Amino acid sequence: MLQQANIPILRTECPPGACVCGREILLAEPGADLRPLRLTRMEEDRLLERIDRVTSYEELRTLQARVRANLGVELRIVPGPNEVRTLRGILIVLEDRPGLCKKVRQSVPAAVRKVLDRHPEITYAILDAHDLFGLEDQ
């Protein structure tokens, strides 16, 4: 009997012109980090559901670490360079990496912003975790 190769499931290609993720370039590069391509649409939905269930700053930090480990991208959530008067003053950015769909780079920060809107105590914890110069306390 033939054994099936252990081929990872990759995200389906976006329609031409709809995304600028660099999928083809990433697939053509030998030894490239394919973790961003492993975020299928179903896995993206699971990630968005997981973000929606965040209720504390600690959970948010854990989620950031898991995104970093599983996708190889950084989810940055920091106070903006100007005075933070509203939630819009918090910068939420999913790092741009080859293979990471444009839709994901928009949907993940939007989901985090909804969580921060529902749980202002998380926003306060983010502000408390950063000192005067905007550097996170370690």
Side-chain angles (χ1 to χ4, degrees):
M1 227 179 196
L2 293 174
Q3 280 189 331
Q4 192 174 22
N6 193 9
I7 301 171
I9 298 172
L10 301 178
R11 187 178 186 95
T12 56
E13 201 170 343
C14 295
C19 191
V20 290
C21 66
R23 175 188 174 89
E24 297 79 23
I25 297 168
L26 189 64
L27 289 173
E29 185 178 318
D33 184 4
L34 298 178
R35 289 182 293 176
L37 287 177
R38 290 189 181 130
L39 184 68
T40 63
R41 295 189 199 301
M42 189 168 72
E43 290 296 324
E44 178 188 350
D45 289 342
R46 287 181 59 206
L47 174 60
L48 295 176
E49 288 171 8
R50 174 66 185 100
I51 292 170
D52 193 51
R53 290 192 309 264
V54 168
T55 59
S56 71
Y57 180 62
E58 292 75 27
E59 286 180 30
L60 185 61
R61 299 286 296 167
T62 302
L63 179 83
Q64 287 177 285
R66 295 207 51 199
V67 166
R68 186 180 318 110
N70 294 333
L71 298 178
V73 296
E74 193 70 35
L75 175 59
R76 291 186 302 120
I77 307 168
V78 296
N82 300 321
E83 184 178 353
V84 177
R85 292 184 182 190
T86 68
L87 185 55
R88 293 288 174 201
I90 301 289
L91 297 177
I92 306 168
V93 178
L94 187 62
E95 178 184 42
D96 188 10
R97 288 266 324 263
L100 193 62
C101 182
K102 176 177 143 183
K103 180 183 174 230
V104 173
R105 290 191 317 262
Q106 295 170 348
S107 64
V108 168
V112 171
R113 194 165 300 283
K114 286 180 187 175
V115 166
L116 296 181
D117 191 39
R118 275 197 320 265
H119 299 282
E121 66 276 7
I122 299 174
T123 305
Y124 301 139
I126 291 168
L127 294 172
D128 286 343
H130 292 79
D131 66 7
L132 177 64
F133 301 108
L135 303 174
E136 191 165 350
D137 293 334
Q138 295 298 326

